[in-house]
Amino acid sequence: MLRLLKAVLPLFAASIALATPLDAQAPRWTFTEKGNSGIVGLEAIVVSPTLVLFFDRASDDPLQINNHSAWGALWDLQTSKVTPLDLITNSFCASGSRLSNGTMVSVGGDPNGFPGNPTIEDGTTGLRLFEPCNDPAGVGCTVFEDPATFHLAEKRWYPSSIRIPDGSLMIVGGIHRNTGFYNTIDQAALTVEFFPPKFGGVPRPSEFLKRSLPANLFPRQFLLPDGKVFMVANNQSIIYDIETGAERILPDIPNGVRVTNPFDGSAILLPLSPPNFTPEVLVCGGTNIPDTTPQGDISSQTPATDQCSRILLTEAGIKRGWVVERMLEPRIMPELVHVPNGQVLIINGARTGVAAIGTVKDPVGNSNADNPVFTPSLYTPNAPVGRRISNIGMPTTDIARMYHSTITLTPQGNFLIAGNNPNNNTNITVPVNTRSEFRVETLDPPFMFVPRPRILNAPEKIGFGKRFTVPISIPNSLQPRNIQVALMDLGFSSHAFHSSARLVFMDAQLSRDQRSLTITTPPNPNIFPPGPAFIFLTIDGVTSEGQQVMVGTGAAPPQTNFV
Ligand SMILES: *[C@@H]1O[C@H](CO)[C@@H](O)[C@H](O)[C@H]1NC(C)=O
Ligand SMILES: *[C@@H]1O[C@H](CO)[C@@H](O)[C@H](O)[C@H]1NC(C)=O
Ligand SMILES: *[C@@H]1O[C@H](CO)[C@@H](O)[C@H](O)[C@H]1NC(C)=O
Ligand SMILES: *[C@@H]1O[C@H](CO)[C@@H](O)[C@H](O)[C@H]1NC(C)=O
Ligand SMILES: *[C@@H]1O[C@H](CO)[C@@H](O)[C@H](O)[C@H]1NC(C)=O
């Protein structure tokens, strides 16, 4: 069994998979249809071991609550059932994350209402809290909003956000209202703010956001092991000092490639490993058309880029700049998602066009993008350049996932995929790939179909720089050689980016009887900011289900005492 598995799992050497013929009997990566989300799964975040929270635009979705269309819902990973949530403000094109006390906070959104749905309020300064939910089916769990008294300082539609070392949220960029296509200087939110508020609650101006106009919505950002934040928007990147607001300018992405809305590529912080936790960022897809191109000169058929760019964030790496690689196909709006074994899933998006709805030449239905990519690839960070990306053994779906679609790793270890709606409302009369999409799928790795290792029990909370021991079970089919323990934030999926997503490997010692693992936690909150996480155990490429833990004390942000 182990030998057969190796044939389909392009683990840490893509060359193994390339050289070995596929075995028809071996389990494979598989797409599985799971049912109907009732609202477009336009934003997605795992909020408990069994629940994913979806947000959509407030419009005319089929799922109803209190006699109006819902635009928030809980997806039950165990039953594939959806439960509507009653929201107040429009959560369209928002961001979010979980805080150090486990609370999910969704930030920003759309100013508009929708005809026939009178309950919708302006979401641009929206703050929506979902407190930790202990009921496996989400019974009694709701979203809290009080827009009159509890809101952001600045209007933000299309912002992004990350949890920082004190467990708060840093919220970056956005736009005040609809400008048609590009972000414009008169409507741009050219600032950074925090929740809970810091620095007197006054949004702090950012030169980087100004310089990266007009294609800088949903800036991609990552917390670095020195406590600073790496950001990329348009073709530019910086390192941001949270305390002082100072911005260090890094090299531009080469070849004129732009990676943020409306030219969405995706970006990911590659897994951090002890002892050095050296950070590297990978950015894939987007477009190489100039950001001065009038929208009327862009079409749904304009080719996307196949470029990935990777930068090592050490002094030597910054000096060298971005190193270019190529995907197997061009992709606008791809998703880059951590796999618990350290690989990166490259999935979704389209070969041509750009993001947004009905704003360029020759839209397909109302879609600015066309030619969806139906086959995912895997990126193996440690393989040599040119051999890192493979789709051997990967399945092909027939459901397009372009603008307003999401994907998240689940606590079960597979990927939940939802949404696609390049329309202003529910539209099923447009060409098939651009219809409002309510079908949910999973992408199941081969390990979902074989006996898996298990973490039998985990502490509720884990501190920093500590050791703890967990009981595990290893199936007879595995003889433990390569053991990986991943501490993961599964991120908030919105607009081809996973805010706060993170994978930190932890050193682990297997006991002589192979029944327990002694794990060393990350040394400090810069490596993994305090908050909820899942621990996955991978043995020779076969991954366990994730065990939920709280990193840190579970206290509300800002946290100052770390144990
Ligand atoms: C529900 O909405 C319909 C159509 O707008 C209306 O006729 C009906 O009175 C509403 N029911 C309640 C309980 O508000
Ligand atoms: C990045 O884009 C700006 C325009 O937004 C352009 O002036 C600059 O040359 C680009 N950088 C590279 C390396 O192409
Ligand atoms: C979508 O709605 C916006 C207003 O929010 C409008 O300007 C635009 O024309 C609409 N696009 C389509 C294709 O209906
Ligand atoms: C769907 O989009 C098409 C193309 O813009 C438009 O003609 C049609 O009216 C839309 N249907 C609905 C229900 O909005
Ligand atoms: C978590 O912290 C946030 C920010 O201080 C607060 O609004 C929220 O109510 C807290 N949640 C719980 C469960 O204490």
Side-chain angles (χ1 to χ4, degrees):
M1 180 57 89
L2 188 63
R3 194 186 58 78
L4 297 182
L5 263 182
K6 281 200 112 165
V8 287
L9 267 176
L11 282 178
F12 281 90
S15 51
I16 295 178
L18 294 173
T20 316
L22 294 175
D23 188 297
Q25 303 299 309
R28 296 186 174 216
W29 286 83
T30 307
F31 280 108
T32 312
E33 267 193 50
K34 284 292 179 184
N36 188 301
S37 53
I39 65 169
V40 175
L42 185 150
E43 296 151 30
I45 180 169
V46 170
V47 288
S48 86
T50 52
L51 296 170
V52 174
L53 179 47
F54 287 139
F55 291 108
D56 189 14
R57 177 180 212 156
S59 72
D60 59 353
D61 291 282
L63 189 68
Q64 299 287 306
I65 186 164
N66 296 333
N67 213 20
H68 63 83
S69 281
W71 62 93
L74 285 171
W75 176 263
D76 187 327
L77 292 162
Q78 293 178 310
T79 61
S80 298
K81 294 246 160 63
V82 69
T83 306
L85 294 170
D86 208 358
L87 306 188
I88 298 172
T89 64
N90 195 344
S91 54
F92 187 44
C93 305
S95 185
S97 181
R98 296 181 75 181
L99 303 172
S100 58
N101 59 359
T103 297
M104 189 293 312
V105 53
S106 149
V107 294
D110 178 324
N112 298 299
F114 190 83
N117 198 341
T119 70
I120 304 162
E121 290 187 27
D122 182 343
T124 44
T125 57
L127 275 174
R128 309 170 193 88
L129 298 187
F130 183 84
E131 301 291 4
C133 176
N134 292 323
D135 185 88
V139 175
C141 298
T142 55
V143 170
F144 168 82
E145 289 180 273
D146 183 7
T149 62
F150 184 66
H151 53 80
L152 292 175
E154 182 161 2
K155 292 180 183 212
R156 296 180 193 275
W157 194 8
Y158 296 78
S160 68
S161 56
I162 51 163
R163 189 168 70 252
I164 58 173
D166 70 8
S168 318
L169 205 59
M170 180 167 104
I171 306 143
V172 181
I175 196 166
H176 297 152
R177 61 178 178 82
N178 194 350
T179 56
F181 184 65
Y182 286 118
N183 197 357
T184 59
I185 188 131
D186 58 320
Q187 290 305 330
L190 299 175
T191 62
V192 172
E193 69 176 283
F194 298 84
F195 178 76
K198 282 188 198 303
F199 310 120
V202 181
R204 194 155 64 185
S206 162
E207 278 303 310
F208 164 69
L209 291 173
K210 198 190 277 181
R211 225 175 34 245
S212 56
L213 284 168
N216 66 0
L217 295 172
F218 285 106
R220 281 68 165 109
Q221 43 178 331
F222 306 102
L223 175 64
L224 300 178
D226 64 0
K228 297 194 171 84
V229 173
F230 172 87
M231 295 192 205
V232 56
N234 198 336
N235 64 346
Q236 300 176 30
S237 62
I238 59 163
I239 291 175
Y240 185 82
D241 186 319
I242 298 171
E243 292 310 314
T244 65
E247 299 178 349
R248 174 180 177 187
I249 297 178
L250 300 193
D252 287 357
I253 294 178
N255 306 320
V257 167
R258 303 171 199 284
V259 298
T260 42
N261 190 279
F263 300 143
D264 305 42
S266 193
I268 193 166
L269 178 68
L270 293 177
L272 298 173
S273 297
N276 297 326
F277 304 99
T278 311
E280 279 189 90
V281 168
L282 177 73
V283 180
C284 293
T287 189
N288 62 3
I289 59 180
D291 60 6
T292 46
T293 313
Q295 69 191 81
D297 292 354
I298 303 171
S299 124
S300 64
Q301 305 306 310
T302 303
T305 181
D306 62 357
Q307 179 170 308
C308 289
S309 316
R310 177 164 156 175
I311 191 165
L312 175 70
L313 294 170
T314 60
E315 287 309 320
I318 290 168
K319 207 164 157 206
R320 189 182 330 141
W322 296 89
V323 177
V324 168
E325 312 173 54
R326 300 278 159 202
M327 292 186 285
L328 303 179
E329 61 287 292
R331 292 186 194 240
I332 188 91
M333 299 177 280
E335 304 272 359
L336 299 180
V337 200
H338 288 294
V339 185
N341 70 358
Q343 291 181 302
V344 173
L345 180 69
I346 303 175
I347 190 167
N348 298 350
R351 286 181 169 77
T352 62
V354 293
I357 297 169
T359 37
V360 300
K361 238 182 353 190
D362 309 322
V364 180
N366 303 301
S367 175
N368 282 358
D370 192 16
N371 301 299
V373 189
F374 291 117
T375 308
S377 298
L378 284 170
Y379 180 91
T380 305
N382 298 343
V385 184
R387 311 204 62 166
R388 290 180 181 150
I389 302 176
S390 166
N391 64 8
I392 292 181
M394 297 306 276
T396 297
T397 179
D398 59 2
I399 305 179
R401 305 290 183 180
M402 304 187 289
Y403 200 44
H404 296 152
S405 65
T406 47
I407 174 168
T408 179
L409 179 68
T410 74
Q412 289 68 42
N414 58 358
F415 298 88
L416 189 79
I417 304 168
N420 187 50
N421 192 22
N423 302 286
N424 271 346
N425 52 333
T426 304
N427 195 325
I428 51 169
T429 60
V430 281
V432 59
N433 291 331
T434 67
R435 287 179 193 161
S436 307
E437 185 57 71
F438 299 99
R439 285 172 294 174
V440 174
E441 288 168 292
T442 55
L443 173 63
D444 304 315
F447 59 68
M448 296 296 286
F449 309 109
V450 300
R452 300 164 70 183
R454 289 172 61 204
I455 301 174
L456 299 173
N457 196 5
E460 202 185 316
K461 296 175 185 171
I462 61 174
F464 295 100
K466 294 281 180 349
R467 280 193 180 171
F468 66 100
T469 299
V470 291
I472 61 165
S473 71
I474 301 177
N476 292 334
S477 48
L478 297 174
Q479 296 131 26
R481 281 176 301 183
N482 183 16
I483 296 180
Q484 298 169 293
V485 180
L487 182 67
M488 299 184 71
D489 186 314
L490 308 184
F492 182 106
S493 177
S494 179
H495 291 74
F497 182 57
H498 296 237
S499 281
S500 295
R502 204 166 187 82
L503 191 168
V504 176
F505 281 120
M506 301 189 288
D507 278 330
Q509 213 72 50
L510 185 62
S511 66
R512 193 167 298 172
D513 66 4
Q514 303 195 348
R515 291 195 175 163
S516 66
L517 269 182
T518 298
I519 298 171
T520 305
T521 65
N524 63 60
N526 298 340
I527 307 293
F528 198 103
F534 288 89
I535 300 178
F536 293 88
L537 166 63
T538 300
I539 297 185
D540 298 337
V542 181
T543 299
S544 71
E545 294 203 351
Q547 274 279 353
Q548 184 174 248
V549 295
M550 177 61 78
V551 179
T553 60
Q559 285 189 5
T560 47
N561 292 320
F562 297 105
V563 288

